[in-house]
Amino acid sequence: EDKVVQSPLSLVVHEGDTVTLNCSYEVTNFRSLLWYKQEKKAPTFLFMLTSSGIEKKSGRLSSILDKKELFSILNITATQTGDSAVYLCAYRRGNTPLVFGKGTRLSVIA
Amino acid sequence: DGGITQSPKYLFRKEGQNVTLSCEQNLNHDAMYWYRQDPGQGLRLIYYSQIVNDFQKGDIAEGYSVSREKKESFPLTVTSAQKNPTAFYLCASSIGTSRSDTGELFFGEGSRLTVL
């Protein structure tokens, strides 16, 4: 059965720390892996990684996809309290809808 | 502005009652989805529709029903058969199933249903 596992499930860090969130997947017919940030209600899109685009960066956030070991990481450097959120990883298999992991709850304290 | 509108934001219902959650989008997207979110469970797919007048069950469709009579609208009915309906419900849309569809979902603000 296809699955996606995120770790850790929760994390507390201090402002300025660097954090790494993990997402491992086991899926046939892999098409893409997406990261979302959910602060209170609607998840917002961060990155999409595919076989042809395995590394993305936007400001303090970056993400890579390891196609061989079947995992992705989301890196946040110089964390701020505004980074506090649930980070969701999701994969897409073929043309089917996204399947989400359980998320990592990140709390950044001043 | 283009986007997805869900209503109501908060809803209380008594056991045994059906309730319908509204989802409207003006993004001209072909595909629409309903996900359920429980604490510590991530998002789980209830139903999705890739085209008007057609929809498919997701992983947890039991106790729910949908319709897709218009491209812009994808209402979800939580029936009395749903054993544990208290949850946060998210509606989403995507371009569709064409080769140009990246799969990226655009979400509404969600509806929080509480069964008393």
Side-chain angles (χ1 to χ4, degrees), chain A residues 19-33:
Chain A
V19 298
T20 299
L21 310 182
N22 302 290
C23 176
S24 66
Y25 62 93
E26 296 177 15
V27 59
T28 56
N29 195 19
F30 172 86
R31 183 168 178 179
S32 58
L33 187 140

Side-chain angles (χ1 to χ4, degrees), chain B residues 70-95:
Chain B
K70 297 186 300 182
K71 185 176 183 177
E72 303 80 18
S73 179
F74 191 42
L76 173 74
T77 296
V78 184
T79 74
S80 57
Q82 168 51 234
K83 291 184 170 62
N84 186 18
T86 294
F88 186 56
Y89 292 88
L90 282 162
C91 179
S93 70
S94 69
I95 292 173

Side-chain angles (χ1 to χ4, degrees), chain B residues 37-99:
Chain B
Q37 188 173 31
D38 297 282
Q41 291 296 317
L43 274 62
R44 292 183 290 168
L45 183 66
I46 305 173
Y47 268 98
Y48 65 102
S49 168
Q50 296 173 330
I51 197 168
V52 174
N53 292 322
D54 189 39
F55 49 82
Q56 288 78 39
K57 292 182 179 180
D59 300 317
I60 55 167
E62 184 176 353
Y64 299 97
S65 66
V66 294
S67 63
R68 187 87 187 275
E69 298 176 1
K70 297 186 300 182
K71 185 176 183 177
E72 303 80 18
S73 179
F74 191 42
L76 173 74
T77 296
V78 184
T79 74
S80 57
Q82 168 51 234
K83 291 184 170 62
N84 186 18
T86 294
F88 186 56
Y89 292 88
L90 282 162
C91 179
S93 70
S94 69
I95 292 173
T97 55
S98 67
R99 292 176 63 86

Side-chain angles (χ1 to χ4, degrees), chain A residues 31-32 34 36 38 40-43 45 48 88 92 95 97-103, chain B residues 10 33 35 37 40 42-43 45 48 50 88 90 99 101-105 107-109:
Chain A
R31 183 168 178 179
S32 58
L34 289 79
Y36 281 84
Q38 185 180 25
K40 288 186 179 178
K41 295 183 179 179
F45 173 77
M48 183 178 69
L88 298 164
R92 189 177 186 206
N95 284 327
L98 293 184
V99 176
F100 287 83
K102 294 186 177 183
Chain B
Y10 299 94
Y33 312 80
Y35 286 89
Q37 188 173 31
L43 274 62
L45 183 66
Y48 65 102
Q50 296 173 330
F88 186 56
L90 282 162
R99 292 176 63 86
D101 183 12
T102 64
E104 179 186 349
L105 296 181
F107 286 90
E109 290 291 301

Side-chain angles (χ1 to χ4, degrees), chain A residues 36-105:
Chain A
Y36 281 84
K37 177 183 181 182
Q38 185 180 25
E39 293 183 72
K40 288 186 179 178
K41 295 183 179 179
T44 54
F45 173 77
L46 294 176
F47 298 116
M48 183 178 69
L49 302 156
T50 66
S51 297
S52 59
I54 61 172
E55 188 168 352
K56 296 287 177 71
K57 182 175 172 61
S58 176
R60 296 178 295 104
L61 276 67
S62 63
S63 182
I64 64 168
L65 177 72
D66 188 317
K67 295 180 294 180
K68 182 179 178 182
E69 300 298 330
L70 304 184
F71 74 87
S72 174
I73 64 169
L74 176 67
N75 227 52
I76 308 175
T77 60
T79 51
Q80 304 169 357
T81 55
D83 294 327
S84 296
V86 174
Y87 290 84
L88 298 164
C89 168
Y91 73 78
R92 189 177 186 206
R93 175 168 56 99
N95 284 327
T96 59
L98 293 184
V99 176
F100 287 83
K102 294 186 177 183
T104 293
R105 180 174 295 278

